[in-house]
């Protein structure tokens, strides 16, 4: 009877200020004013460096001349975009960028996950910390130093790579690694792995530590060995982290890099080493063709946004974690 009476009582409606919106009140703003004030510098930074420069995209639709204001430039529509996709050099550069990006993407994910799994299996803290420190160190080297180490290692005269391969009887004479284009993509991929694999494992190690230890105990009771625990407990436990990072990295598929390609590239392998960023520098900024450089930048941004949306939508349909 009491439940019937209580159920018949009219429920009080939550007062909503129409000027503020649903679920948000001045009281909430007042309670979180410190967080809001702390966010102001970040918001201002993003507006200044990420949104205000978008005004400069107008240059892609003009024959931009630095001496004139944007409002007085000659409008040419999609002329520069048409030139990009009709230019054989840009199409070759696009091929190089996509190839190196895919190689870097696959190698970076595979090596980071494998190293994280191996480190997680090391029980001795001293050896685990030592291996982590050694693998992290190359990340803190600039690409100028890293490229110098790579070039020295691959040199014909006294490079350690040629010396080692000849000692193992894999090759009979030194190979000119940096003078043949067919080797360049692999060199870039392996150089990125050497430099970043330790740093990339950090987030996977953090994800592994958040897995409930009772899952490993249950698997052990069921008779699972170490490899089965990795396959059925560890890998599913870091799957959501992997999906999020994959979506984020797919958005950077046209960012194959600039420094290592620019530093290791030369005239003999220019058809294999140039990326979109080098193309922008060489044929856009260096020649004063800022409109062409801006058009190439807009193309990269548009492709990145489209790929992120596609990857996020695909993850949502498959029931996986998603970025947005």
């Amino acid at each position: 009877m009491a439940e019937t009476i209580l159920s018949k009582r009219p429920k009080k409606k939550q007062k909503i200020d129409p000027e503020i919106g649903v679920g948000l009140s001045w009281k909430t703003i007042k309670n979180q004013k410190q967080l809001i004030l702390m966010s102001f510098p970040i918001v201002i930074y993003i507006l200044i460096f990420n949104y205000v420069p978008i005004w400069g995209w107008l240059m892609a639709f003009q024959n931009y001349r630095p001496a004139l204001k944007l409002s007085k430039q000659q409008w040419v529509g999609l002329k520069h975009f048409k030139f990009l996709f009709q230019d054989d050099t840009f199409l070759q550069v696009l091929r190089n960028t996509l190839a190196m990006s895919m190689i870097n993407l696959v190698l970076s994910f595979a090596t980071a996950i494998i190293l994280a799994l191996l480190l997680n299996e090391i029980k001795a803290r001293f050896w685990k910390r030592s291996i982590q420190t050694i693998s992290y160190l190359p990340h803190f080297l600039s690409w100028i130093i890293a490229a110098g180490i790579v070039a020295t290692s691959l040199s014909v005269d006294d490079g350690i790579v040629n010396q080692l391969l000849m000692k193992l009887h894999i090759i009979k004479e030194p190979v000119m690694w940096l003078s043949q284009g067919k080797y360049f993509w692999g060199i870039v991929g392996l150089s990125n792995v050497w430099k970043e694999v330790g740093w990339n494992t950090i987030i996977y190690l953090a994800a592994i530590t958040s897995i409930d230890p009772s899952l490993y105990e249950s698997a052990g009771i069921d008779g699972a060995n170490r490899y089965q625990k990795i396959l059925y407990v560890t890998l599913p436990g870091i799957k959501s982290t992997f999906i999020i990072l994959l979506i984020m990295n797919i958005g950077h598929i046209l960012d194959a890099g600039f420094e290592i390609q620019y530093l290791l590239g030369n005239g003999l392998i220019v058809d294999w080493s140039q990326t979109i960023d080098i193309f922008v520098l060489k044929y856009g900024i260096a020649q004063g063709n800022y409109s062409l450089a801006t058009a190439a930048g807009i193309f990269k941004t548009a492709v990145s946004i489209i790929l992120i949306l596609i990857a996020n939508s695909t993850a949502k349909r498959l029931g996986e974690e998603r970025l947005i």
Side-chain angles (χ1 to χ4, degrees):
M1 184 68 179
E3 292 179 358
T4 307
I5 295 172
L6 289 173
S7 63
K8 291 183 179 179
R9 288 182 181 178
K11 295 181 180 180
K12 293 183 180 180
K13 294 183 178 179
Q14 184 180 1
K15 293 182 180 181
I16 298 173
D17 190 343
E19 296 183 356
I20 300 176
V22 179
L24 184 64
S25 64
W26 286 112
K27 184 178 180 180
T28 304
I29 295 176
K30 184 177 179 180
N31 292 336
Q32 299 184 2
K33 62 181 180 181
Q34 290 87 356
L35 295 175
I36 295 173
L37 290 174
M38 288 173 62
S39 67
F40 278 169
I42 305 300
V43 173
I44 293 172
Y45 174 86
I46 293 174
L47 288 174
I48 293 175
F49 292 100
N50 293 87
Y51 285 94
V52 173
I54 291 178
W55 175 257
W57 280 10
L58 292 175
M59 290 189 295
F61 307 96
Q62 302 170 336
N63 272 333
Y64 181 76
R65 297 293 178 269
L68 300 176
K69 296 180 180 179
L70 277 176
S71 58
K72 295 183 179 180
Q73 300 290 337
Q74 179 187 359
W75 293 89
V76 295
L78 299 176
K79 172 186 174 182
H80 299 292
F81 291 95
K82 292 178 181 178
F83 174 80
L84 283 178
F85 295 104
Q86 292 174 356
D87 183 47
D88 293 336
T89 302
F90 181 76
L91 296 178
Q92 189 179 66
V93 164
L94 183 60
R95 179 207 65 178
N96 297 340
T97 303
L98 289 173
M100 283 185 275
S101 291
M102 291 302 300
I103 291 171
N104 290 338
L105 183 67
V106 173
L107 289 179
S108 63
F109 271 95
T111 54
I113 292 173
I114 291 171
L115 181 59
L117 294 174
L118 293 176
L119 287 173
N120 185 59
E121 294 299 315
I122 298 176
K123 304 306 178 184
R125 175 174 291 187
F126 172 78
W127 293 110
K128 185 175 182 177
R129 295 288 177 85
S130 299
I131 295 171
Q132 281 182 294
T133 303
I134 294 170
S135 63
Y136 293 165
L137 285 177
H139 171 78
F140 300 100
L141 297 176
S142 68
W143 266 118
I144 295 177
I145 298 174
I149 295 174
V150 172
T152 303
S153 301
L154 297 175
S155 65
V156 178
D157 297 330
D158 55 354
I160 188 173
V161 174
N162 280 320
Q163 298 265 344
L164 181 61
L165 293 178
M166 291 175 66
K167 291 288 185 182
L168 296 174
H169 302 288
I170 297 176
I171 58 176
K172 295 181 179 180
E173 57 184 13
V175 178
M176 301 178 66
W177 299 102
L178 295 177
S179 300
Q180 300 183 53
K182 61 182 180 180
Y183 299 127
F184 189 77
W185 295 349
I187 292 171
V188 170
L190 293 176
S191 299
N192 275 289
V193 168
W194 163 69
K195 190 174 185 298
E196 302 295 341
V197 64
W199 187 258
N200 291 336
T201 58
I202 293 176
I203 193 166
Y204 291 111
L205 287 172
I208 290 173
T209 57
S210 66
I211 298 174
D212 190 352
S214 62
L215 296 176
Y216 292 101
E217 295 175 3
S218 300
I221 293 172
D222 290 338
N225 55 34
R226 297 178 72 174
Y227 300 104
Q228 290 172 329
K229 289 179 182 179
I230 291 173
L231 184 61
Y232 297 109
V233 179
T234 307
L235 288 177
I238 64 175
K239 183 176 69 171
S240 59
T241 303
F242 169 77
I243 295 296
I244 294 296
L245 291 176
L246 180 62
I247 294 172
M248 294 175 65
N249 280 274
I250 285 176
H252 294 281
I253 201 69
L254 292 183
D255 291 328
F258 171 81
E259 294 94 341
I260 186 169
Q261 290 87 352
Y262 187 78
L263 294 168
L264 294 181
N266 55 68
L268 297 174
I269 55 174
V270 66
D271 293 339
W272 298 79
S273 63
Q274 282 198 104
T275 61
I276 292 178
D277 294 330
I278 296 176
F279 176 86
V280 169
L281 175 65
K282 187 175 180 180
Y283 298 100
I285 298 174
Q287 297 183 10
N289 194 347
Y290 301 108
S291 298
L292 183 65
T294 306
I298 292 176
F299 169 72
K300 281 184 59 178
T301 303
V303 170
S304 298
I305 293 173
I306 292 171
L307 289 176
I308 286 178
L309 293 176
I310 292 174
N312 190 76
S313 177
T314 303
K316 182 179 179 180
R317 291 180 181 180
L318 296 176
E320 301 293 345
E321 294 290 336
R322 54 189 186 272
L323 188 61
I324 53 178

